[in-house]
Amino acid sequence: MRQVLYLLLTLLTVQSYAQSPKYPYYDGHKWGMVDDSNQVVIPPKYDSEFWIFREKIAIVQKDSLYGSIGVDGTTILPCRYDSIVIIRRFIAAALSKGKYRLVDVSTGKELSGVLFDKWDESNHDNPPILPVHIGAKWHFMNMATGELINKQGYDEIGFVTTGYYEGVVQQGGKYGVLNLTTGALIAPIQYDHLVYKSQGAFDAIEGDKVLSYTADGRSRPGNAAILTQHQSASSAAIPIDATKIDDSYVGNMSLYVYKGKDNDWKVTYEKRVWASSPVTPVKEFQLTGFTNVEKFYYDETMQPQALLKVVQNGKTGLIAPEGNVILPCIYDSIRNEGGFFVTQLDGKEGLIKTDWRVLSLPVLKRVYHANYEVGAYLIEMPDGRKGYMNMHNGKIYIPEVGR
């Protein structure tokens, strides 16, 4: 269930925070939401983190079941589903008792009386059409009405990517084309291959015969020369020449660390073709007095462009290869989270941005991750409360936290 929640958070973090930013927070027992002034908008009563998306609704979890609420916390869709996954805008697949149905999470309306086992991620925009699996067969479902376009199911289905309302259907190894507006077959399910052209037209191949179809279902004899073309294009046995290594290729510059005797270290900038290639270092530096030295990062877009994580007297710091101290050896550990750095000291964590601005000393219980959509980091306080820290000014969006 936790994986479902993470998927929801990924899908739902698309709201605009320009007018009234809101942030989820955890009081140690339940999740609620505050505004940019740390005023409680939704009291803590939900089991998991949630976001207002499209400035209208949020998917929430209560008593291990999911539903949706409005921006003011009012219930829209009661928490009665095992999972809710947004498919398109406010249309979602809601799971209950092992079956899905379409729901509108912004109105609370159940869109489909038809239940399905799974769906395909691809969907058609206009009209909104979703491939759904019922029993052992696939159907096209109109997402606006929740109705099946084809009553008969097929072994496989898909979309024709020409902008026309056509669906490919396959039954017993044979192919046909379905009109997604009417549900009628444009081409019967009897063809070995389909070759798509422009404006909804396609060639249907059966044995050594070819019929050319237009989008309205009219057909005429086609060009048999397409048989050779199709077989050549679709063959999985086409030999492909192996890529030849260009001996003149030179790999990217990077940073390498070599252990010497005792506490002596050699650090080099090198260009390599392969990791095992013999190289002549572009630059070389000698370091001493550290019990451990390892590459922290190499990134030409950053300043400094390379850093080493070093250990001295049991404490960790960061230095440039030239020996300039960036962070003194006073920490238990330092980790690189890509867009920010986390310092650890005496069981607490701090947060430093890549421009070396300290947003927090090591006083937090944990720094989890960055949410760049909202410009904040998810953090946990020593007392177990969780919330977000502003990436720019370090403000923490948890009630009664004084910064």
Side-chain angles (χ1 to χ4, degrees), residues 255-268 270 272 284-295 308-311:
L255 190 70
Y256 297 86
V257 178
Y258 301 93
K259 179 74 168 69
K261 294 181 179 180
D262 299 325
N263 291 334
D264 295 333
W265 303 81
K266 181 175 73 173
V267 179
T268 62
E270 299 175 11
R272 295 186 179 188
E284 182 176 307
F285 306 94
Q286 301 293 330
L287 300 175
T288 188
F290 300 107
T291 54
N292 191 64
V293 177
E294 61 185 79
K295 184 174 83 170
L308 299 163
K309 183 162 69 170
V310 297
V311 177

Side-chain angles (χ1 to χ4, degrees), residues 227-246:
L227 289 175
T228 303
Q229 177 186 356
H230 175 80
Q231 291 166 353
S232 173
S234 64
S235 174
I238 298 176
I240 300 176
D241 291 336
T243 303
K244 295 180 180 180
I245 298 174
D246 183 355

Side-chain angles (χ1 to χ4, degrees), residues 149-202:
I149 294 172
N150 54 299
K151 303 302 181 184
Q152 175 188 346
Y154 300 102
D155 294 341
E156 298 289 343
I157 61 176
F159 294 103
V160 178
T161 57
T162 59
Y164 286 77
Y165 308 136
E166 297 174 352
V168 183
V169 296
Q170 187 251 89
Q171 186 71 22
K174 298 294 183 178
Y175 295 89
V177 177
L178 193 73
N179 185 313
L180 296 179
T181 303
T182 65
L185 285 169
I186 297 173
I189 307 171
Q190 65 184 52
Y191 297 102
D192 302 314
H193 304 286
L194 298 172
V195 178
Y196 301 102
K197 301 189 291 188
S198 61
Q199 297 181 335
F202 58 92

Side-chain angles (χ1 to χ4, degrees), residues 77-370:
L77 194 66
C79 291
R80 61 186 177 212
Y81 298 101
D82 297 320
S83 72
I84 294 177
V85 180
I86 298 294
I87 296 176
R88 181 179 185 271
R89 291 185 61 81
F90 294 114
I91 298 177
L95 177 67
S96 179
K97 298 179 180 178
K99 298 289 183 180
Y100 292 94
R101 71 165 73 241
L102 287 185
V103 299
D104 186 325
V105 293
S106 68
T107 65
K109 182 180 179 182
E110 293 185 336
L111 299 177
S112 67
V114 178
L115 302 180
F116 50 96
D117 308 309
K118 58 183 178 179
W119 71 95
D120 192 277
E121 294 295 337
S122 62
N123 58 79
H124 197 283
D125 284 337
N126 189 18
I129 297 172
L130 182 71
V132 297
H133 194 262
I134 303 173
K137 299 294 182 181
W138 285 95
H139 299 257
F140 292 104
M141 176 181 285
N142 186 316
M143 287 194 281
T145 64
E147 296 180 355
L148 298 179
I149 294 172
N150 54 299
K151 303 302 181 184
Q152 175 188 346
Y154 300 102
D155 294 341
E156 298 289 343
I157 61 176
F159 294 103
V160 178
T161 57
T162 59
Y164 286 77
Y165 308 136
E166 297 174 352
V168 183
V169 296
Q170 187 251 89
Q171 186 71 22
K174 298 294 183 178
Y175 295 89
V177 177
L178 193 73
N179 185 313
L180 296 179
T181 303
T182 65
L185 285 169
I186 297 173
I189 307 171
Q190 65 184 52
Y191 297 102
D192 302 314
H193 304 286
L194 298 172
V195 178
Y196 301 102
K197 301 189 291 188
S198 61
Q199 297 181 335
F202 58 92
D203 287 318
I205 303 168
E206 181 182 14
D208 57 358
K209 298 179 181 178
V210 179
L211 282 182
S212 291
Y213 280 86
T214 56
D216 59 7
R218 290 179 295 176
S219 64
R220 58 180 176 77
N223 182 4
I226 195 174
L227 289 175
T228 303
Q229 177 186 356
H230 175 80
Q231 291 166 353
S232 173
S234 64
S235 174
I238 298 176
I240 300 176
D241 291 336
T243 303
K244 295 180 180 180
I245 298 174
D246 183 355
D247 292 337
S248 65
Y249 171 76
V250 177
N252 294 327
M253 183 82 75
S254 193
L255 190 70
Y256 297 86
V257 178
Y258 301 93
K259 179 74 168 69
K261 294 181 179 180
D262 299 325
N263 291 334
D264 295 333
W265 303 81
K266 181 175 73 173
V267 179
T268 62
Y269 289 114
E270 299 175 11
K271 283 187 176 181
R272 295 186 179 188
V273 178
W274 311 113
S276 59
S277 299
V279 295
T280 300
V282 176
K283 289 183 180 180
E284 182 176 307
F285 306 94
Q286 301 293 330
L287 300 175
T288 188
F290 300 107
T291 54
N292 191 64
V293 177
E294 61 185 79
K295 184 174 83 170
F296 190 66
Y297 72 68
Y298 179 88
D299 188 337
E300 294 180 353
T301 66
M302 295 183 65
Q303 190 58 243
Q305 70 178 16
L307 275 186
L308 299 163
K309 183 162 69 170
V310 297
V311 177
Q312 190 174 54
N313 299 323
K315 293 295 183 180
T316 302
L318 297 178
I319 66 171
E322 296 80 0
N324 301 331
V325 175
I326 306 302
L327 291 179
C329 291
I330 60 174
Y331 301 100
D332 296 330
S333 181
I334 304 171
R335 69 175 185 268
N336 184 356
E337 292 290 350
F340 62 98
F341 310 124
V342 176
T343 56
Q344 296 176 322
L345 182 62
D346 298 331
K348 300 292 193 301
E349 295 192 343
L351 197 155
I352 300 176
K353 296 191 66 175
T354 53
D355 61 3
W356 303 107
R357 196 150 48 93
V358 176
L359 282 190
S360 175
L361 296 172
V363 296
L364 305 171
K365 183 175 181 179
R366 186 172 176 188
V367 179
Y368 286 92
H369 59 253

